[in-house]
Amino acid sequence: VKEADFRPADILARYLALCREDAAAVLRREAEFVTVPCPGCGAEASEPAFTKNGYHYHTCAACQSLYLRQRPTTEVLAEVNNGAASAAYWADCFYPNVIERRRESVYRTRALYAQQLQQQYGQTFRRLLDVGAGCGIYAEELRRAMPAVDIAVVEPGPRFAATCREKGFETHMCLLEELPADVPPACYGSCFEVLEHLYSPLAFLQVMARALRPGGVVFLTSLCCDGFDVQALWERHPNIYPPQHINILSLAGYRQLFERAGFTDIRLTTPGKLDVDIVRNHLPAADQPRVLRHLLQGGDETFLRDFQLFLAEHRRSSHVWITASRGAA
Ligand SMILES: [Zn+2]
């Protein structure tokens, strides 16, 4: 699997260029930024990691999570993002370009995984809630995998929400925090590639827990700093960009985050497929330490594929899946 299959290089480059412009606009309001403890374990102590586009990332002294220590509030981010060129480009160009090519390889796989979670957690899902549903592609795959089950989606974007409605889903056009109290709790909640963006992942997970029935199961995906590509590329990683991707937690950080939010039976896997390709694409051979150059340039395709499988199997990929239970009543 190649990085370009997921994110065409030219579209990604244009999007990241727009993000840098927005990052500069947000940075002009640095006086309003707030200093936060580790978003994973909550520890205050940290070490500077690197500065990227003027933003200071730190490493937690306790759990080694990588995070933006001084960060814009949700309100500042919303004000800048409202009408920002990067947000429009993402919705109009980036998302439509990549979403359908991810349907089978990403969303169908995750829907089948949701189905399997019933057995793993000893639950029978009757109602599902997908948060940040976009145009409803995952909800469609859930419906395909579990046709008899009620599916609700939360999607704040008006156009995406309208698309979800057209597809016949119970659609709540709001943020999860704004979900009306009379919406029935779900047996299963999913939310993909959102935790890394949030001012407070803990507050979000606490709201997620309240949207679930006792014993309900969550399935989230995000970025993990224990991943091979994050460790190899560090500040040069294309997927670490402020102020969007500001929580890149360690496995230990994720575990403590979910515990703090009241979840139990927390399971972490890293089934990522792109780490090796990302390192090859974004770290020129001349800049690679000798051992890395030896591994990545000297290896044939079979070696590289097996190396990626090894990373995923040993939880050293940067793409993390987290499942957990809200706990029985
Ligand atoms: Zn920590």
Side-chain angles (χ1 to χ4, degrees):
V1 180
K2 298 292 184 201
E3 186 189 10
D5 298 337
F6 279 65
R7 299 180 276 263
D10 51 336
I11 291 181
L12 179 64
R14 173 81 183 126
Y15 174 64
L16 290 178
L18 290 169
C19 285
R20 278 192 293 276
E21 290 173 24
D22 293 342
V26 173
L27 198 57
R28 284 193 281 278
R29 297 178 61 172
E30 198 174 7
E32 297 167 66
F33 285 15
V34 178
T35 301
V36 298
C38 171
C41 73
E44 299 280 348
S46 66
E47 303 270 342
F50 54 78
T51 297
K52 189 163 185 177
N53 303 337
Y55 292 78
H56 309 298
Y57 284 83
H58 279 234
T59 300
C60 173
C63 78
Q64 310 302 317
S65 288
L66 180 64
Y67 67 99
L68 199 66
R69 187 160 170 270
Q70 287 166 295
R71 53 181 57 191
T73 59
T74 309
E75 290 72 26
V76 167
L77 270 189
E79 281 173 40
V80 176
N81 279 339
N82 203 353
S86 67
Y89 187 77
W90 189 87
D92 294 338
C93 193
F94 187 86
Y95 183 82
N97 192 286
V98 301
I99 194 71
E100 273 301 336
R101 71 176 82 202
R102 292 183 188 181
R103 177 186 285 276
E104 288 187 29
S105 63
V106 174
Y107 295 104
R108 189 159 300 166
T109 306
R110 291 178 187 179
L112 294 172
Y113 189 69
Q115 194 184 28
Q116 292 164 12
L117 286 173
Q118 296 180 98
Q119 201 177 12
Q120 289 185 27
Y121 281 90
Q123 297 286 317
T124 302
F125 296 162
R126 296 194 174 80
R127 180 174 164 84
L128 316 177
L129 181 70
D130 186 40
V131 177
C135 64
I137 198 157
Y138 181 59
E140 287 180 295
E141 292 302 321
L142 284 173
R143 184 159 61 188
R144 186 187 163 99
M146 291 175 267
V149 172
D150 281 344
I151 302 175
V153 303
V154 173
E155 170 50 51
R159 266 191 303 167
F160 286 153
T163 306
C164 289
R165 252 182 223 120
E166 282 162 24
K167 290 178 176 176
F169 295 111
E170 175 192 319
T171 302
H172 301 278
M173 195 181 86
C174 59
L175 296 170
L176 180 63
E177 296 86 323
E178 300 159 349
L179 194 64
D182 60 353
V183 173
C187 311
Y188 165 87
S190 49
C191 184
F192 301 137
E193 281 83 55
V194 167
L195 281 183
E196 61 269 35
H197 292 265
L198 299 173
Y199 176 79
S200 173
L202 177 62
F204 177 82
L205 287 179
Q206 287 166 334
V207 174
M208 191 82 174
R210 287 200 291 275
L212 294 176
R213 299 167 62 87
V217 177
V218 283
F219 174 22
L220 292 95
T221 63
S222 191
L223 282 168
C224 176
C225 70
D226 289 318
F228 173 74
D229 55 339
V230 171
Q231 291 293 327
L233 288 163
W234 212 225
E235 73 270 25
R236 299 164 82 156
H237 199 291
N239 224 353
I240 300 176
Y241 52 97
Q244 273 89 355
H245 289 180
I246 59 177
N247 312 301
I248 302 100
L249 305 188
S250 63
L251 293 170
Y254 280 116
R255 180 166 294 282
Q256 291 180 68
L257 169 65
F258 278 72
E259 282 171 1
R260 290 201 293 150
F263 287 95
T264 60
D265 200 354
I266 299 154
R267 304 179 192 190
L268 298 152
T269 55
T270 70
K273 298 182 172 133
L274 300 176
D275 306 65
V276 168
D277 198 44
I278 288 173
V279 173
R280 293 175 89 199
N281 291 344
H282 297 278
L283 194 62
D287 293 352
Q288 293 173 5
R290 186 199 309 274
V291 61
L292 212 50
R293 201 159 58 228
H294 185 68
L295 285 172
L296 299 184
Q297 312 303 321
D300 61 16
E301 286 304 316
T302 306
F303 169 81
L304 295 172
R305 190 197 62 215
D306 287 354
F307 185 46
Q308 179 65 48
L309 288 172
F310 172 86
L311 294 172
E313 193 168 315
H314 292 273
R315 302 201 302 175
R316 289 296 183 274
S317 162
S318 64
H319 176 61
V320 64
W321 288 13
I322 310 132
T323 61
S325 165
R326 193 199 137 165

